[in-house]
Amino acid sequence: MKQNIVVLSGAGVSAESGLKTFRDSDGLWEEYSIMEVATPEAWERNPELVLKFYNERRTQMRSAKPNAAHIALAKLEEYFNVAIVTQNVDDLHERGGSTKVLHLHGELNQSRSVKHPRFVYEIEGNEINMGDTCERGSQLRPNIVWFGEEVPMITPAIQLITKANIILVIGTSLNVYPAAGLLYHAPYGSRKYLIDPAENDGSVIYKLEHIRVNAGVAVPRLVDQLIHEITSAD
Ligand code: OAD
């Protein structure tokens, strides 16, 4: 039987693809304050600005390419049951070849009805604009979990992590809950790694083996090591 690997990823896994992380930029996110663009209040105040911000992020994402870390993670699937639980709203894990990706904070590629949240659509073209509506006539917004909103995907994520044999935490500051709290559900005895070049308090709090190297280098190396262990044990 294959072992279960759960990957918990954050902005750092996409850094080497040219997408900026959040906390490395003085509270600004691509020149915008997070509170100005990523909260329900921001949407109430200035929906045009919020749409513009996410339209720009989507365009930027589509010109970015998966890096060596995303591609290496996909390689694991031949030998392990792999689930990626990502805080990222980009699609670089999918484009890197991973087939089971759960997006805790939503997806840039999707829109959602403001009034009927069950209506979620893949975005055709690059933009959501004012006046774009769902099949019931309500305005569409990005299908992103904003600060202060519920995180519905946390329940399936907990189910995945409670069955993990190996947990790879990659490129997240572990500052944002409930995502970071997932690690409290890691089974006793599971192997837990953190790949992040910077100091990270989470490594102590959650007892992670901290590899202080960029994901583009460390992930392929760790993936090869895990595959080697499994194939030489057969
Ligand atoms: P952060 O910006 O908080 O953390 C990024 C982490 O990646 C930091 O610890 C960096 O040291 C690390 N890092 C930077 N470059 C790296 C590299 N090349 N390889 C590996 N690690 C690297 O991003 P997240 O933890 O993902 O939420 O942030 C969590 C959530 O807060 C986001 O999903 C977003 C944000 O505000 C929402 O939008 C709801």
Side-chain angles (χ1 to χ4, degrees):
M1 261 237 319
K2 286 181 177 174
Q3 292 188 34
N4 297 328
I5 295 188
V6 172
V7 176
L8 176 61
S9 71
V13 78
S14 297
E16 288 156 86
S17 295
L19 303 181
K20 278 203 188 133
T21 62
F22 306 97
R23 279 165 194 81
D24 296 331
S25 43
D26 293 335
L28 288 184
W29 186 5
E30 302 283 357
E31 318 310 324
Y32 294 84
S33 142
I34 289 180
M35 292 303 144
E36 208 188 342
V37 290
T39 63
E41 293 75 19
W43 175 255
E44 288 300 318
R45 221 171 21 237
N46 193 345
E48 288 88 355
L49 177 72
V50 173
L51 290 180
K52 176 172 178 284
F53 172 75
Y54 284 101
N55 288 342
E56 286 170 11
R57 300 285 70 71
R58 192 173 307 107
T59 303
Q60 185 186 38
M61 166 187 89
R62 288 181 179 174
S63 66
K65 293 196 175 59
N67 64 52
H70 301 105
I71 291 165
L73 290 170
K75 207 168 115 185
L76 278 174
E77 293 193 6
E78 199 179 320
Y79 306 91
F80 299 90
N81 292 319
V82 183
I84 312 258
V85 176
T86 188
Q87 297 164 86
N88 299 343
V89 295
D90 66 56
D91 62 356
L92 294 177
H93 281 301
E94 287 92 339
R95 284 199 271 139
S98 289
T99 60
K100 192 169 175 193
V101 185
L102 185 155
H103 287 269
L104 282 174
H105 295 160
E107 298 185 49
L108 267 178
N109 275 327
Q110 293 178 340
S111 63
R112 160 159 52 108
S113 167
V114 168
K115 286 231 181 86
H116 310 282
R118 68 180 188 283
F119 293 141
V120 171
Y121 307 94
E122 296 301 312
I123 295 174
E124 291 167 18
N126 278 328
E127 296 190 350
I128 308 175
N129 291 301
M130 293 307 287
D132 291 349
T133 56
C134 75
E135 56 219 71
R136 298 271 176 88
S138 296
Q139 176 63 42
L140 293 175
R141 56 165 272 183
N143 189 25
I144 302 283
V145 174
W146 288 326
F147 285 94
E149 293 190 316
E150 278 181 31
V151 183
M153 296 309 271
I154 200 70
T155 308
I158 291 172
Q159 284 164 358
L160 288 167
I161 208 155
T162 53
K163 297 200 184 72
N165 304 102
I166 302 171
I167 299 169
L168 312 181
V169 182
I170 307 172
T172 169
S173 58
L174 293 172
N175 264 314
V176 172
Y177 287 80
L182 276 174
L183 290 167
Y184 287 122
H185 297 273
Y188 182 74
S190 52
R191 290 162 66 184
K192 294 172 284 188
Y193 298 92
L194 168 68
I195 294 177
D196 187 329
E199 214 170 293
N200 190 318
D201 292 342
S203 67
V204 180
I205 299 169
Y206 303 108
K207 299 191 171 64
L208 311 173
E209 185 176 333
H210 191 175
I211 302 169
R212 285 192 64 169
V213 177
N214 282 348
V217 171
V219 174
R221 221 187 264 164
L222 182 56
V223 162
D224 283 347
Q225 180 194 320
L226 293 170
I227 292 175
H228 177 73
E229 283 174 17
I230 220 76
T231 49
S232 54
D234 285 345

